[in-house]
Amino acid sequence: MIAPEPSAPATSRFVPLPGTAPIVQLRGIAKYFPGVTANEDVDLDVMPGEIHALLGENGAGKSTLMNILTGIYQPDAGEIVIDGYPKSFASPVEAIAAGVGMVHQHFKLVKAFTVAENIHLGWSETPKAVSAAVLEKRTADLSRALNLAVDPAARVSELSTGEQQRVEILRVLTRKARVLILDEPTAVLTPAEAHELFRALKDFVARGNAVIFISHKLDEVLEISDRVTVLRGGRKVATEQTADCTETSLARLMVGREIVLSDMRARSPQAAPIGATVMALDDVRAEDGQGRVVLNGLSLTLRAGEILGIAGVAGNGQKELTQVITGMRRATSGRILVDGADFSHAGAADFADFGVGHIPEDRLHSGLAPALSITDNSVIREYDRPPLSNGLGYNGRAATALARQIAEAASVAVPDFGMPVRNLSGGNQQRLVARREMRIASRVLVAAYPSRGLDVGAINMMMRYLVELRDKGVAVLFISEELEELLNLSDRIAVMFHGEIMGVVDTAEADIDTIGLMMGGKRLAADPRKGH
Amino acid sequence: MAYRIQRIPSAPPSVAFAARGMAIVLALVTAGIVLAALGFNPLALGWQVLRTTFGSSYGLEDVGLLVIPLIFTGLAVAVGQKIGAQNIGAEGQFYAGAFAATGVALFVPGPTAVILPLMFVAGAIGGAIWILVPTLARAYADVNELITTLLLNFVATLMVYWVATGPWLDPSGRALATTARLPHEVPEFWGIVHWGLPVAGVVVLLVAALFAFTRWGYEVRIAGSNPQAARYAGMPFRRHLIVVMLLSGAIAGLAGMFEVAGTVHRLQGGISNNFGYLGIMVAVLARSSPIGVLPAAALMAVILNSGIVLQTQGITVSTVLAITGLILFYTAIGDELARYRIVRG
């Protein structure tokens, strides 16, 4: 009952016998939502022993398709064939019973429970009335049998994101899933953790199982998958052998046009050169609401016309860093110098007046008032100055005019400026916030995960925004989890770990492995030539 | 073809409006069924209510008198909601405003032209003082204003009972449980309806303009909708919270001032007639819009007046309160349902 077949060595590839039926076959799947064709005429074959990547922009229909395969949605047309037999899943429970399981982007674990408890939660094979020790023993056995190392007695809340993901995967695999669907699994992982995940996935398919790997990161699709299916506008564009693909060819398939995912560090001759220090943090400490130290003696300099990238796994103090350098949070000690003046006790309005724009990490909850109109939200930085206000008044017509101007610059089509801003898609909200902030960012722009949740085309546009500001001589602080983005854009990269800077490297001399090590908490060996 | 129900982020105005209308109709139908079950003829009763209320200037004047405190208390609650504060204490602030205005009228000598404006100011200050402690507790210690404002209602109610039957009892001995008749009163301009009505209208317009056309109003709108966003934009959330809550209390205080100085002319226990609590309903019906308070208060006044008519027909006051409750109930359901639509597939 517990032990699935013993693991084969990861190196040996599973090759299905000729004539073997695909483990999953989707035929002519269609799904319509009001006014939207989410999927139409989609075919997908997944063979045993295969890692099959599903690639597409936001809204290309990847999630809908996988929600249909796992029984969350019912298709409007087409059929699902598992091991050669047509099936219809009324719920995810039926899908997992047929061997199809999914690990979602947002984990569905009970944080206060131990790993063993989470594994056994809602599982028909969980023995009734057992002790924690028995559950932990069973979990340890399963973990060994499936070759996924977890600590059965640990509480989920104490685990790193990578470890939580492993628990999530183990949970699906213990239900005897033979098809594992992963939705952007590396979004939350360090490079090292991602490699570990890839090893586990290869190991899993080597036993004759299959993985469907949803992603919009081209490099990892090339690295991990055997075949790749590209969706665009809800339809299948192509299924290719990954070995025949390049990043450029995949990007072209995905967006339907050529996209330059290239180095944007090169400057045009007209661009402002890297200039004087605009903002400096000197040994800054800060605490979160619960009194935990979240910034621990952090020093950084932001220079005019330079993009400083901040690498690091989310939750290592990046959010508090953005709050401290925009005046939203007071540092408990240390100094913040802005043009040489002490801003340690300045408020958010002072920073904004100085010319600090801020694209916040959580745009909907801190950068916008979701229930208020697009107009109200567009003018939050300029409501207090002409033409919107001459001191006391507020000119609604001028506000709508400004909102229209910002929406046009952001290429966001707005049918009605009185509509609540939450009605806009996430990507459009992000572009609106970015354009709004760029208007006031005359000296500094703080951009926290600006590309999060955007597709390749929109990311490219966002990166161009940052370059545009850099070339105007604005100091840009660019926080991201995507190393590639950081390397393409930043002039220098600082790596954060547990509220500290592990090191600052010039991008030209940076190597990914060193940055990866620093992201995991290894301090950069002191380099006498430059401090940070 | 299968049908599905889909939720949309916000209802189109026409649908929202229709849902409101449906809610009122459904509440009346439900009430009619209950009345029929009790042995009354709902159609005849309805006709009588309509005739008594709208068929004579007396009925309209009664409605005009009832609407004044409802506008003030409804506006008070709506203003609080602009900054995200739930002022359940309009009842208490009503009493405090009436108390302060009565104090000025009874003990400050002077001509009516001077004393009436003074009473107006005293009423506003009285209401503001009554919400001061909940306001500061919310602003500095994050104490839920829902509880504190509610509890202070009982204090205010009992305080007014006590002064009206004790220290301020009519010395002439003609009234047993009220103060003497106030020497100053708000003049009437139409039958029994006094100038409090136009003043209430002006206050509504002023407050609406304050929110729509000032920088301060914009900041309050942002801060009330999402305090995080206000913090992000460097707006002083705490200062706005304090000012708006005090404004809310002051407006509720005005309700008490006009009730005692224009309608009742004596301070007495129970003078509020639940106007403070009914203000919550008015604000909900108005969707917290200051201008919306005007039609919502008018509707509520018509319902209250209908209640008085129904009571003359032997229907208890509880039934009338139940009908107002039904309207609120159906409105809440209607507002939510307006955000759903049925789609094919």
Side-chain angles (χ1 to χ4, degrees):
Chain A
M1 170 203 66
I2 278 184
E5 61 273 50
S7 59
T11 42
S12 76
R13 272 203 50 140
F14 179 89
V15 182
L17 294 170
T20 308
I23 193 165
V24 169
Q25 201 175 13
L26 299 178
R27 287 193 197 137
I29 296 287
K31 181 74 191 172
Y32 306 101
F33 295 119
V36 182
T37 302
N39 284 134
E40 196 165 59
D41 198 22
V42 178
D43 295 331
L44 178 72
D45 288 351
V46 181
M47 300 302 293
E50 171 180 56
I51 297 182
H52 196 116
L54 197 56
L55 186 67
E57 292 187 283
N58 302 121
K62 307 179 298 267
S63 300
T64 308
L65 190 66
M66 288 305 109
N67 284 337
I68 289 170
L69 178 54
T70 52
I72 294 171
Y73 292 148
Q74 315 313 318
D76 292 328
E79 61 176 347
I80 300 169
V81 182
I82 306 288
D83 292 326
Y85 297 98
K87 297 264 183 181
S88 84
F89 300 137
S91 74
V93 180
E94 294 181 17
I96 189 77
V100 180
M102 180 152 173
V103 173
H104 292 267
Q105 229 172 336
H106 303 284
F107 304 147
K108 300 180 176 356
L109 298 172
V110 182
K111 295 213 160 155
F113 282 14
T114 64
V115 170
E117 285 163 340
N118 268 287
I119 295 288
H120 287 89
L121 203 58
W123 187 17
S124 57
E125 290 183 20
T126 303
K128 308 273 176 262
V130 289
S131 66
V134 172
L135 286 187
E136 282 163 21
K137 165 104 181 29
R138 281 173 53 92
T139 305
D141 292 345
L142 288 164
S143 153
R144 216 173 6 257
L146 293 164
N147 216 1
L148 281 165
V150 296
D151 173 4
R155 289 206 186 281
V156 166
S157 56
E158 293 158 4
L159 301 181
S160 74
T161 324
E163 289 168 320
Q164 290 186 25
Q165 187 180 55
R166 222 174 306 141
V167 175
E168 189 71 79
I169 293 173
L170 182 62
R171 213 173 104 90
V172 173
L173 296 191
T174 51
R175 272 71 171 168
K176 303 215 179 63
R178 290 176 304 123
V179 181
L180 176 64
I181 305 169
L182 296 158
D183 192 359
E184 307 213 8
T186 58
V188 291
L189 302 181
T190 60
E193 285 174 324
H195 274 111
E196 207 173 310
L197 169 69
F198 289 175
R199 222 176 10 248
L201 294 183
K202 286 191 168 137
D203 190 37
F204 175 66
V205 296
R207 302 198 292 266
N209 302 307
V211 167
I212 301 178
F213 190 94
I214 304 178
S215 180
H216 44 225
K217 291 187 209 161
L218 303 173
D219 54 345
E220 67 183 28
V221 165
L222 288 174
E223 179 184 347
I224 181 81
S225 69
D226 300 304
R227 287 195 300 159
V228 51
T229 291
V230 182
L231 295 184
R232 192 199 316 151
R235 291 168 164 275
K236 187 175 100 167
V237 183
T239 298
E240 306 269 355
Q241 296 290 333
T242 308
D244 302 339
C245 298
T246 63
E247 285 204 14
T248 325
S249 74
L250 284 179
R252 194 188 309 126
L253 283 174
M254 186 155 86
V255 295
R257 68 199 134 89
E258 201 94 27
I259 286 263
V260 198
L261 277 178
S262 63
D263 197 333
M264 293 172 117
R265 284 180 296 138
R267 287 153 201 266
S268 68
Q270 298 95 315
I274 294 179
T277 297
V278 180
M279 193 187 274
L281 273 69
D282 181 19
D283 198 25
V284 166
R285 278 161 216 279
E287 292 173 358
D288 67 4
Q290 279 83 48
R292 282 187 295 255
V293 174
V294 283
L295 294 182
N296 192 6
L298 191 130
S299 299
L300 276 178
T301 53
L302 273 63
R303 295 188 294 215
E306 182 191 55
I307 297 180
L308 173 63
I310 300 282
V313 177
N316 272 296
Q318 290 95 329
K319 183 177 187 174
E320 289 78 11
L321 172 63
T322 63
Q323 290 177 337
V324 163
I325 67 170
T326 55
M328 289 175 69
R329 179 185 294 276
R330 292 284 144 82
T332 46
S333 73
R335 291 200 309 160
I336 300 161
L337 297 175
V338 172
D339 258 3
D342 192 348
F343 263 52
S344 310
H345 301 286
D350 302 316
F351 280 86
D353 287 344
F354 174 75
V356 179
H358 179 196
I359 302 174
E361 171 179 353
D362 184 1
R363 59 201 165 225
L364 194 56
H365 294 110
S366 49
L368 296 168
L372 293 185
S373 69
I374 293 171
T375 296
D376 278 348
N377 276 287
S378 300
V379 303
I380 198 167
R381 291 301 196 181
E382 293 175 71
Y383 69 94
D384 58 349
R385 59 192 74 166
L388 272 69
S389 176
N390 300 314
L392 283 181
Y394 172 76
N395 182 340
R397 198 167 303 163
T400 307
L402 175 60
R404 181 165 287 126
Q405 202 181 328
I406 292 174
E408 267 164 29
S411 350
V412 172
V414 176
D416 172 11
F417 283 87
M419 176 175 93
V421 77
R422 63 169 175 236
N423 290 14
L424 291 177
S425 74
N428 282 343
Q429 289 169 4
Q430 179 76 323
R431 286 213 286 256
L432 213 57
V433 169
R435 271 292 162 184
R436 180 186 80 192
E437 296 306 309
M438 285 172 68
R439 287 175 60 88
I440 67 150
S442 58
R443 304 299 305 280
V444 177
L445 179 74
V446 178
Y449 310 104
S451 60
R452 196 181 262 179
L454 301 183
D455 57 52
V456 176
I459 290 174
N460 232 38
M461 183 182 276
M462 191 64 66
M463 299 299 118
R464 277 204 307 276
Y465 286 175
L466 299 186
V467 167
E468 189 184 313
L469 281 183
R470 177 199 72 189
D471 289 351
K472 277 198 243 164
V474 175
V476 178
L477 184 80
F478 172 45
I479 300 177
S480 175
E481 289 170 318
E482 308 293 331
L483 276 182
E484 194 185 345
E485 243 175 52
L486 286 165
L487 291 167
N488 281 340
L489 210 60
S490 320
D491 299 295
R492 290 183 299 151
I493 296 177
V495 184
M496 277 189 89
F497 180 77
H498 286 185
E500 296 179 45
I501 298 288
M502 290 292 116
V504 185
V505 293
D506 279 336
T507 310
E509 306 160 11
D511 90 289
I512 273 210
D513 292 335
T514 315
I515 293 176
L517 284 174
M518 288 196 281
M519 284 169 72
K522 192 169 181 306
R523 201 172 285 274
L524 183 65
D527 184 340
R529 280 175 300 150
K530 46 183 183 280
H532 48 246
Chain B
M1 199 53 128
Y3 288 85
R4 278 190 330 114
I5 293 172
Q6 190 189 35
R7 187 180 161 91
I8 49 178
S10 54
S14 58
V15 176
F17 192 76
R20 284 300 172 87
M22 280 293 290
I24 292 167
V25 170
L26 277 174
L28 294 178
V29 168
T30 313
I33 293 171
V34 173
L35 288 176
L38 290 172
F40 295 97
N41 177 349
L43 287 179
L45 276 178
W47 173 241
Q48 172 136 27
V49 164
L50 283 179
R51 211 184 45 199
T52 329
T53 306
F54 297 106
S56 68
S57 80
Y58 295 118
L60 287 175
E61 285 171 32
D62 283 342
V63 171
L65 208 54
L66 284 170
V67 84
I68 300 167
L70 290 171
I71 291 175
F72 281 116
T73 54
L75 184 64
V77 177
V79 162
Q81 285 169 347
K82 285 277 178 199
I83 196 80
Q86 299 299 328
N87 179 9
I88 307 296
E91 184 85 358
Q93 294 136 29
F94 180 108
Y95 276 111
F99 169 80
T102 304
V104 169
L106 291 180
F107 302 112
V108 180
T112 299
V114 174
I115 298 302
L116 263 186
L118 263 185
M119 289 168 70
F120 184 89
V121 172
I125 292 178
I129 286 177
W130 211 249
I131 204 176
L132 182 65
V133 171
T135 300
L136 297 179
R138 162 79 197 270
Y140 290 97
D142 210 19
V143 176
N144 190 338
E145 75 284 355
L146 214 96
I147 312 287
T148 48
T149 53
L150 175 68
L151 292 179
L152 279 177
N153 287 346
F154 306 112
V155 179
T157 309
L158 293 172
M159 179 186 77
V160 167
Y161 260 113
W162 175 67
V163 293
T165 54
W168 290 4
L169 180 65
D170 185 356
S172 76
R174 266 173 299 194
L176 290 176
T178 73
T179 63
R181 190 179 165 92
L182 302 190
H184 312 282
E185 60 184 61
V186 181
E188 285 143 2
F189 73 99
W190 172 50
I192 56 169
V193 183
H194 56 79
W195 277 89
L197 184 58
V199 171
V202 169
V203 170
V204 166
L205 293 180
L206 281 178
V207 169
L210 194 60
F211 282 111
F213 302 122
T214 68
R215 222 179 103 172
W216 178 84
Y218 174 79
E219 290 192 2
V220 169
R221 200 152 67 231
I222 295 282
S225 183
N226 183 2
Q228 258 315 102
R231 185 169 155 229
Y232 163 83
M235 297 169 181
F237 176 74
R238 181 179 288 164
R239 198 170 79 202
H240 289 328
L241 178 74
I242 292 173
V243 171
V244 171
M245 283 183 73
L246 292 182
L247 177 66
S248 169
I251 293 170
L254 287 181
M257 177 266 164
F258 278 107
E259 191 67 5
V260 73
T263 307
V264 182
H265 306 299
R266 294 168 186 270
L267 183 66
Q268 60 190 46
I271 190 175
S272 81
N273 269 323
N274 287 328
F275 284 129
Y277 294 114
L278 292 169
I280 301 167
M281 266 195 69
V282 171
V284 170
L285 288 172
R287 295 185 160 212
S288 309
S289 140
I291 296 285
V293 163
L294 291 176
L299 174 69
M300 189 57 62
V302 169
I303 293 169
L304 287 183
N305 194 55
S306 310
I308 295 168
V309 176
L310 288 176
Q311 284 181 60
T312 65
Q313 303 299 312
I315 293 165
T316 63
V317 67
S318 320
T319 314
V320 180
L321 285 176
I323 296 174
T324 59
L326 278 173
I327 291 182
L328 190 64
F329 175 69
Y330 281 115
T331 301
I333 294 176
D335 280 0
E336 187 58 27
L337 287 185
R339 296 176 57 176
Y340 287 83
R341 61 181 175 197
I342 297 169
V343 291
R344 254 193 327 197

